[in-house]
Amino acid sequence: LCAEEKFSDEIVREFVKQLGDNNYKVREKATKELIKLSLKYIKLLTEELKNTTDLEIQERLAEIIDQSEEKLNEFFSENILKSQQYLEEKKYGDALKEVDEILLIKPEYNKALILKIKILQAKADYKECIKLITVILKTYKKDSVEYDDMGYILARVLLISGTYTEAVKHLEVMLLQTRRPEEFQRMLCVAYELNNQASKTEELLLREIKNSPLSTNFNVELAWHYIRVGNQEKANIILEKTIVQSKDFDLNGVLNCLFLDQSLKGAEYLNTITEPILKELKDKKILVVTDVTPINILYLCYQYYFEKTGDLKSSINFKLLYNSFSEEDKKIWPIPLLGLY
């Protein structure tokens, strides 16, 4: 993996030409020499592969680069690990430095590009992040999974950065070609709302409700859209109807009861969820973070609220639950909620 200083770019290009030589021995010798080359020439070899029209050279060069990819993963693993560690420590400059060292050798190295996007997001450098994602997006085929994934990430960053008009434009384009329309549609609803286009959010959700009359998801989304824009009356009508129709009770159901001030119904629903959870935890004197999920902790807190506001006797001993965790575990969110309650 060490650099072979004796090779210049011109010599490397000459070896590439020899891959298409009429003499088999010349082709084999050139292949072996290129395989031995330092990884610093991967970028050059990749460029040569793009530029050549010779089928023999294409085949041999592709094979050499494939073998080099395995070396690349080993070679870059230390940089990736260091960068991830710096990211966890919020040392964004150091994290970017490690990633940029990789991209200097291989600009299209996917692991490094994805990691750089994460670092830029954490650093709140949204302008650079958007620029990088946009460049990467253009390299993917529009009908690929990678294109959908990167398009979704770009939409999120545009929304987080407050670039709502651009987010709307991007999501409208993605919605025409994605294989995940429901995900992008939900995000487009949010983008319209944030971009002061509430009527478009309403129009989009009403169309989906018409297309999927048996689903309650879009009804709930429309109701909470009405709540956010201040149309409480319309929200009430939808939520009351949804609660009656809904067979499954989840966090949305909790919020619906909370908004409609239906404490008794909320406590009744939640009791069916929390009773088996509390029964399972009761026999454990020592608890660890994996014993109870964050959503279950939220259910317990909401149930306590509903019981108190509905003048019911509380069925949850928060003190006992909280003190069953170690001091370290008590610092992990949302376990501090148990302590608060």
Side-chain angles (χ1 to χ4, degrees), residues 96-138:
L96 285 172
K97 187 179 175 183
E98 293 293 334
V99 168
D100 286 337
E101 279 185 23
I102 297 171
L103 296 175
L104 196 62
I105 296 171
K106 188 159 188 186
E108 70 278 15
Y109 192 65
N110 196 55
K111 281 185 182 177
L113 289 169
I114 297 298
L115 185 52
K116 186 167 185 176
I117 289 168
K118 288 180 181 177
I119 297 164
L120 290 171
Q121 282 189 74
K123 189 172 177 262
D125 190 347
Y126 300 123
K127 189 177 179 181
E128 280 303 308
C129 190
I130 291 166
K131 195 187 295 182
L132 176 60
I133 298 171
T134 305
V135 170
I136 297 169
L137 198 59
K138 289 176 183 175

Side-chain angles (χ1 to χ4, degrees), residues 252-269:
N252 274 335
V254 172
L255 296 174
N256 294 343
C257 286
L258 192 68
F259 174 73
L260 295 170
D261 201 21
Q262 296 185 357
S263 297
L264 295 177
K265 188 169 281 187
E268 182 187 341
Y269 277 132

Side-chain angles (χ1 to χ4, degrees), residues 13-263:
R13 288 194 177 96
E14 184 57 37
F15 281 139
V16 171
K17 285 179 186 176
Q18 289 174 10
L19 293 176
D21 197 276
N22 292 330
N23 190 318
Y24 174 76
K25 287 184 178 179
V26 172
R27 295 199 303 270
E28 283 297 295
K29 185 175 184 301
T31 300
K32 288 175 183 176
E33 290 293 344
L34 285 171
I35 287 172
K36 288 191 294 182
L37 285 179
S38 161
L39 289 171
K40 72 177 182 178
Y41 293 105
I42 283 294
K43 185 179 177 182
L44 176 60
L45 294 178
T46 306
E47 286 171 2
E48 289 296 311
L49 177 61
K50 288 176 183 176
N51 295 332
T52 185
T53 55
D54 187 305
L55 294 177
E56 180 72 23
I57 294 177
Q58 284 178 354
E59 188 178 336
R60 285 177 176 267
L61 207 47
E63 191 176 332
I64 290 164
I65 291 169
D66 282 345
Q67 289 183 42
S68 300
E69 282 289 337
E70 291 181 24
K71 293 181 182 178
L72 275 174
N73 289 330
E74 293 175 26
F75 186 67
F76 291 146
S77 62
E78 188 176 347
N79 294 87
I80 292 288
L81 286 172
K82 278 185 180 179
S83 184
Q84 288 171 335
Q85 183 61 41
Y86 285 135
L87 175 57
E88 285 179 21
E89 295 169 1
K90 298 184 179 179
K91 296 177 180 177
Y92 304 128
D94 292 328
L96 285 172
K97 187 179 175 183
E98 293 293 334
V99 168
D100 286 337
E101 279 185 23
I102 297 171
L103 296 175
L104 196 62
I105 296 171
K106 188 159 188 186
E108 70 278 15
Y109 192 65
N110 196 55
K111 281 185 182 177
L113 289 169
I114 297 298
L115 185 52
K116 186 167 185 176
I117 289 168
K118 288 180 181 177
I119 297 164
L120 290 171
Q121 282 189 74
K123 189 172 177 262
D125 190 347
Y126 300 123
K127 189 177 179 181
E128 280 303 308
C129 190
I130 291 166
K131 195 187 295 182
L132 176 60
I133 298 171
T134 305
V135 170
I136 297 169
L137 198 59
K138 289 176 183 175
T139 66
Y140 294 140
K141 290 182 179 179
K142 290 186 178 180
D143 60 348
S144 66
V145 174
E146 292 81 7
Y147 188 84
D148 266 3
D149 290 343
M150 195 57 65
Y152 192 81
I153 292 170
L154 178 56
R156 286 189 75 252
V157 177
L158 286 168
L159 289 174
I160 291 166
S161 65
T163 321
Y164 303 136
T165 303
E166 289 304 312
V168 166
K169 288 178 185 175
H170 169 66
L171 284 162
E172 285 177 338
V173 171
M174 289 298 301
L175 200 54
L176 295 174
Q177 55 205 26
T178 182
R179 288 177 291 184
R180 291 151 50 186
E182 196 168 306
E183 289 178 50
F184 283 96
Q185 200 155 269
R186 279 203 173 94
M187 200 175 280
L188 181 55
C189 286
V190 173
Y192 279 144
E193 192 176 305
L194 292 170
N195 202 41
N196 297 318
Q197 293 175 278
S199 60
K200 286 203 170 188
T201 301
E202 182 182 29
E203 182 186 324
L204 196 57
L205 289 170
L206 285 170
R207 187 166 68 238
E208 286 308 312
I209 290 166
K210 187 178 179 181
N211 294 337
S212 311
L214 297 177
S215 173
T216 59
N217 291 339
F218 291 110
N219 286 283
V220 172
E221 285 183 37
L222 180 60
W224 282 91
H225 164 68
Y226 286 143
I227 290 167
R228 289 190 295 274
V229 298
N231 199 330
Q232 311 293 337
E233 192 177 333
K234 280 188 175 181
N236 274 21
I237 295 166
I238 295 171
L239 291 181
E240 283 170 358
K241 188 178 178 182
T242 302
I243 286 176
V244 172
Q245 289 177 340
S246 181
K247 293 178 182 178
D248 300 315
F249 194 73
D250 55 11
L251 194 55
N252 274 335
V254 172
L255 296 174
N256 294 343
C257 286
L258 192 68
F259 174 73
L260 295 170
D261 201 21
Q262 296 185 357
S263 297

